[in-house]
Amino acid sequence: MVQVAGVVRAMDTLKASVRRTAFLVLAILLVSTLFYGSCTARVLPNQWGVEQRKFGLKTGVADTAYGPGLYFVGPGVTMHTFPREIHVLEASYDREEALRKGGSSLANSVNAYFDHRSRLLGTDTHRIIDALNVQTSDGYAVTADVTLLYSIEDPVRVARDFGWGSLYVDSFAINTFRNGVLTTIGKLNAESFYDEAVRIKAIEETETLLRQRFAARGFKVDKLLLRNYRYVEAYEKSLEAKKVAVQLTEKNRKEGLVNEEKAKLKQIESKGNAAITIAESEVNARIAKVRAEADLYSSQGRARADKEVNVAAAEAKRLKAEALTTSGGRYVVALETSKMFDNIEGAVMSPEQYISFVRSAWALIGVSPGAATAVAPVAGDKK
């Protein structure tokens, strides 16, 4: 096989060049990685960043608090982070209460639940301590389940006062929280916990006190919650008996007031019924009076009418008698007499007999027989 002169040497040169280039690239990557790891710092969206300088003219904690982002830090500078979200500090007896109610059969499930809850909430921003044993002003003990919600407002101040990590929780937050609650709520007596207005006012005073103390150290108190409370068993029994007695007394007093009001109501009802009876009697008397007056007026009217009718009838009789005594009155009497026989059937009296009877009647009353010719056709017409 024929080989061109210098090919082997050229290949060796190319391989050496590739090796140098690869080594240079790896060196650059290594230096870049070391530079990125030692000279940059990342602050997450839920964090504050605070610089600590170990070398230079000004060492210690820097005055600037950094928000989320990627920052360049020089040699001897460390970027420490603090959580930005709300911290939850619980003084609770939930686990103890759940274990007591669940018994030994559910103990493992209860512990598993609370352990899982603690892992989800995290240890940096969530801390559970024992419930607070509040000694009231009257000497009784009340176990209070209280929760404090707070956050870091000035991370530079927190770093200078308490250092890095979560040291501020153990060295400041827990002790200040416990002392503030015991100082203010401890002024209440045991029964005041049942009074909603007094209890809420005491919680507001405690929250104001804690807000002032936390703000002085770079924190912000968002809310203080009294979630639950319980008395010792002996006091609960005595308090229950006392409350029952007070409620019974109040019940009797209320019942007495109710009975008094019922008596007043009955008295008012009796007065009302009497007034109604009197009013009904007065109305009935007025109705009877009006009816009597109406009957009197009606009888008087009928009497006047009867009198006028009788007078008119007498006057008619008088006028009729006068009319009959005149010259034409006899004809009227004869005509009226003839009407008496209108009901006589032809089978009983013949026409001749009828005419003879009429003439005899006229003659009897003094009417001229010559007028009978005017009357006879009347009987014939009827037939």
Side-chain angles (χ1 to χ4, degrees):
M1 181 177 180
V2 180
Q3 294 183 351
V4 179
V7 172
V8 175
R9 187 173 57 185
M11 289 297 295
D12 293 339
T13 303
L14 179 61
K15 290 179 180 179
S17 177
V18 170
R19 284 195 295 268
R20 286 195 302 270
T21 303
F23 178 78
L24 181 61
V25 171
L26 291 175
I28 292 173
L29 290 176
L30 180 60
V31 171
S32 299
T33 302
L34 293 175
F35 176 80
Y36 180 82
S38 60
C39 297
T40 60
R42 180 180 296 276
V43 180
L44 299 178
N46 62 336
Q47 293 178 340
W48 290 104
V50 178
E51 280 187 346
Q52 181 187 17
R53 297 173 182 175
K54 300 177 182 178
F55 305 104
L57 298 177
K58 188 176 181 180
T59 60
V61 179
D63 297 332
T64 304
Y66 296 90
L70 181 65
Y71 298 95
F72 171 78
V73 292
V77 178
T78 304
M79 181 72 74
H80 297 278
T81 58
F82 291 93
R84 183 189 290 264
E85 64 262 23
I86 293 177
H87 294 58
V88 180
L89 179 56
E90 292 185 78
S92 174
Y93 54 80
D94 284 347
R95 183 191 289 259
E96 176 187 350
E97 188 74 10
L99 290 173
R100 184 180 64 84
K101 292 181 178 180
S104 58
S105 60
L106 298 177
N108 293 332
S109 299
V110 171
N111 290 324
Y113 165 76
F114 281 98
D115 292 340
H116 178 67
R117 177 174 178 267
S118 298
R119 287 193 299 270
L120 289 178
L121 295 176
T123 57
D124 293 336
T125 59
H126 179 254
R127 188 69 62 87
I128 299 177
I129 61 176
D130 293 335
L132 302 181
N133 188 18
V134 180
Q135 196 72 20
T136 61
S137 59
D138 51 356
Y140 293 99
V142 178
T143 304
D145 187 335
V146 188
T147 298
L148 176 67
L149 305 179
Y150 69 99
S151 58
I152 297 176
E153 191 172 40
D154 187 357
V156 176
R157 179 65 181 273
V158 173
R160 289 175 178 173
D161 291 347
F162 308 106
W164 317 113
S166 60
L167 295 176
Y168 59 89
V169 178
D170 297 311
S171 60
F172 171 75
I174 294 177
N175 294 330
T176 305
F177 164 65
R178 182 184 289 112
N179 295 334
V181 172
L182 296 179
T183 300
T184 53
I185 297 183
K187 296 178 182 179
L188 301 176
N189 56 41
E191 294 186 16
S192 297
F193 280 84
Y194 283 109
D195 191 335
E196 181 179 0
V198 176
R199 186 177 68 248
I200 292 176
K201 183 179 179 181
I203 293 298
E204 291 176 350
E205 292 178 358
T206 306
E207 183 177 326
T208 302
L209 176 62
L210 292 178
R211 185 173 285 112
Q212 294 173 355
R213 293 183 178 180
F214 273 68
R217 306 303 293 271
F219 298 94
K220 175 187 176 183
V221 172
D222 295 285
K223 195 66 178 177
L224 179 67
L225 305 172
L226 177 60
R227 301 193 306 167
N228 202 354
Y229 58 90
R230 66 183 180 186
Y231 299 96
V232 295
E233 186 176 357
Y235 177 74
E236 283 188 350
K237 291 182 179 179
S238 62
L239 183 61
E240 181 180 359
K242 181 179 179 181
K243 289 296 181 182
V244 169
V246 172
Q247 292 175 1
L248 182 60
T249 303
E250 184 67 14
K251 172 179 173 293
N252 294 333
R253 188 181 70 84
K254 295 292 185 181
E255 287 181 351
L257 294 176
V258 170
N259 293 331
E260 291 179 1
E261 294 299 326
K262 287 183 177 179
K264 292 180 181 179
L265 179 60
K266 289 182 179 180
Q267 184 178 3
I268 293 173
E269 288 179 351
S270 61
K271 290 182 179 179
N273 293 332
I276 292 172
T277 303
I278 294 173
E280 288 179 350
S281 301
E282 292 178 354
V283 171
N284 292 331
R286 291 179 182 177
I287 292 174
K289 181 180 179 181
V290 171
R291 286 180 177 175
E293 292 177 353
D295 293 340
L296 177 60
Y297 179 79
S298 177
S299 60
Q300 289 177 351
R302 285 195 298 270
R304 287 194 298 270
D306 293 341
K307 180 180 179 181
E308 292 177 358
V309 170
N310 294 332
V311 171
E315 183 66 16
K317 290 180 180 180
R318 185 184 67 80
L319 294 176
K320 184 176 181 180
E322 290 180 355
L324 292 176
T325 57
T326 59
S327 59
R330 294 181 179 182
Y331 294 99
V332 175
V333 173
L335 182 60
E336 293 296 329
T337 303
S338 64
K339 291 180 180 180
M340 296 170 54
F341 301 98
D342 288 342
N343 294 328
I344 299 175
E345 297 293 336
V348 177
M349 184 180 291
S350 63
E352 291 80 8
Q353 292 174 344
Y354 177 76
I355 293 172
S356 176
F357 174 79
V358 171
R359 287 179 177 178
S360 298
W362 283 3
L364 180 62
I365 61 176
V367 178
S368 175
T373 57
V375 179
V378 176
D381 292 340
K382 182 177 183 298
K383 182 178 178 181

